């Protein structure tokens, strides 16, 4: 090995060591725990695939998967187009764009616990609740919000969209700066209005970024945990229990003595599903994003 290669390895070694300890070692440890019966207190016992069988036979797994898919569907239906629409409209603003960008990103910097407490106050299901009072002005409500099994998941999606849309808006705004101005000028010379410019110029130029943010949002919604845990704890009547919340319940619902083997088994199953889904997604969109 040349002196240059040896020096590069020497300087990279601490980074590789830290990355291995804090990233790969937990993954390896999770694989080992998934085939053990362990509560991190008593000695671990090798059980093979029993943890996976236990998870697959758990009636709550089907409920958690269904709720996770429902959350992902609502989040994509509501939360995916909103940042794109807001970013495109903000890009058309000529003055005060920095202020609008700061306001759009502000929810991201609000601590999650504070945001949940704020939304819980807004979601008061009584007729005097904030949202119910506002909707009552136009003759709607009152609605039970997250206190009702049917309303709980849409309520969580609205709160999650408010909390996470700002980061995606900034990504779209950054991507919009790379759209060649001459394309808009050519469209204006052809008599295109703002909506035609957005449809025929802006969106095609953002195609690659849209595909990336879409898969990132799908992965994030498949791992939703914070909102169900802080808002409802999985209730009412398991209406908001998700896969990640089920993993948490396996491991920590009973404090010490939790079923860590089942928790890591379900974690690996979720990771494998997301990896396969991401691979298929990127293969299908590789030609679309570049065309």
């Amino acid at each position: 090995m040349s002196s240059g290669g040896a020096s590069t390895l020497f300087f990279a070694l601490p980074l590789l060591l830290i990355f291995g300890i804090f990233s790969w070692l937990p993954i390896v440890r999770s694989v080992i725990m998934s085939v053990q019966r362990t509560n991190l207190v008593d000695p671990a016992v090798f059980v093979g695939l029993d943890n996976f069988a236990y998870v697959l036979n758990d009636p709550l797994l089907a409920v958690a998967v269904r709720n996770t898919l429902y959350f992902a569907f609502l989040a994509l239906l509501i939360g995916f187009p909103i940042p794109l629409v807001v970013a495109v409209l903000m890009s058309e603003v000529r003055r005060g764009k920095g202020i609008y960008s700061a306001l759009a990103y502000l929810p991201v910097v609000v601590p999650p616990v504070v945001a949940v407490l704020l939304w819980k106050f807004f979601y008061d299901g009584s007729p005097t609740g904030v949202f119910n009072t506002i909707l009552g002005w136009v003759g709607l409500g009152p609605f039970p919000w997250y206190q009702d099994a049917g309303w709980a998941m849409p309520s969580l999606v609205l709160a999650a969209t408010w909390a996470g849309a700002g980061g995606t808006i900034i990504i779209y705004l950054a991507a919009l700066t790379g759209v060649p101005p001459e394309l808009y000028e050519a469209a204006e010379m052809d008599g295109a209005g703002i909506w035609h410019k957005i449809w025929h110029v802006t969106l095609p130029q953002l195609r690659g970024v849209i595909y990336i943010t879409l898969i990132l949002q799908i992965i994030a919604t498949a791992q939703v945990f914070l909102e169900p845990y802080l808002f409802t704890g999985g209730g009412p009547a398991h209406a908001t229990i998700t896969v990640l919340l089920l993993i948490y319940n396996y491991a920590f619902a009973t404090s010490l003595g939790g079923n860590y083997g089942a928790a890591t088994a379900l974690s690996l199953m979720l990771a494998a599903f997301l990896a396969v889904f991401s691979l298929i997604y990127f293969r299908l969109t590789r030609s679309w994003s570049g065309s």
Side-chain angles (χ1 to χ4, degrees), residues 27-66:
I27 294 175
V28 174
R29 180 59 179 155
S30 297
V31 174
I32 295 173
M33 289 177 61
S34 68
V35 293
Q36 294 177 335
R37 181 180 295 112
T38 176
N39 57 10
L40 301 183
V41 177
D42 301 321
V45 179
F46 177 79
V47 295
L49 300 178
D50 287 357
N51 289 324
F52 294 91
Y54 172 82
V55 171
L56 292 174
N57 290 324
D58 187 354
L60 278 180
L61 178 62
V63 178
V65 170
R66 183 174 65 248

Side-chain angles (χ1 to χ4, degrees), residues 116-201:
V116 169
L117 292 176
L118 180 67
W119 277 84
K120 276 191 171 183
F121 175 73
F122 290 159
Y123 276 150
D124 184 357
S126 67
T128 58
V130 176
F131 285 162
N132 283 336
T133 299
I134 295 174
L135 293 174
W137 296 341
V138 293
L140 298 177
F143 299 111
W145 304 111
Y146 70 89
Q147 295 95 343
D148 178 78
W151 281 84
M153 195 62 82
S155 301
L156 268 58
V157 169
L158 288 177
T161 300
W162 174 86
T168 309
I169 291 173
I170 298 301
I171 292 175
Y172 284 137
L173 285 175
L176 285 168
T177 61
V179 179
E182 54 267 20
L183 295 179
Y184 292 111
E185 295 172 1
E188 290 177 355
M189 292 180 62
D190 290 338
I194 180 173
W195 296 113
H196 284 85
K197 289 191 295 182
I198 290 173
W199 185 257
H200 294 289
V201 178

Side-chain angles (χ1 to χ4, degrees), residues 71 74-75 78-80 82-83 107 156-166 217 227:
F71 183 94
L74 291 178
I78 300 173
F80 183 73
I82 288 179
L156 268 58
V157 169
L158 288 177
T161 300
W162 174 86
Q217 182 163 346
E227 287 79 13

Side-chain angles (χ1 to χ4, degrees), residues 138-273:
V138 293
L140 298 177
F143 299 111
W145 304 111
Y146 70 89
Q147 295 95 343
D148 178 78
W151 281 84
M153 195 62 82
S155 301
L156 268 58
V157 169
L158 288 177
T161 300
W162 174 86
T168 309
I169 291 173
I170 298 301
I171 292 175
Y172 284 137
L173 285 175
L176 285 168
T177 61
V179 179
E182 54 267 20
L183 295 179
Y184 292 111
E185 295 172 1
E188 290 177 355
M189 292 180 62
D190 290 338
I194 180 173
W195 296 113
H196 284 85
K197 289 191 295 182
I198 290 173
W199 185 257
H200 294 289
V201 178
T202 304
L203 293 181
Q205 292 295 314
L206 294 182
R207 185 180 303 170
V209 179
I210 291 174
Y211 287 144
I212 294 297
T213 55
L214 177 60
I215 186 61
L216 290 177
Q217 182 163 346
I218 292 174
I219 293 174
T221 53
Q223 302 179 76
V224 60
F225 169 78
L226 185 67
E227 287 79 13
Y229 176 71
L230 294 178
F231 268 102
T232 62
H238 299 306
T240 58
I241 189 170
T242 59
V243 173
L244 221 61
L245 186 55
L246 183 59
I247 294 173
Y248 174 86
N249 289 339
Y250 282 153
F252 303 111
T254 57
S255 186
L256 288 178
N259 193 345
Y260 294 97
T264 52
L266 183 52
S267 299
L268 292 177
M269 292 166 63
L270 177 61
F273 168 78

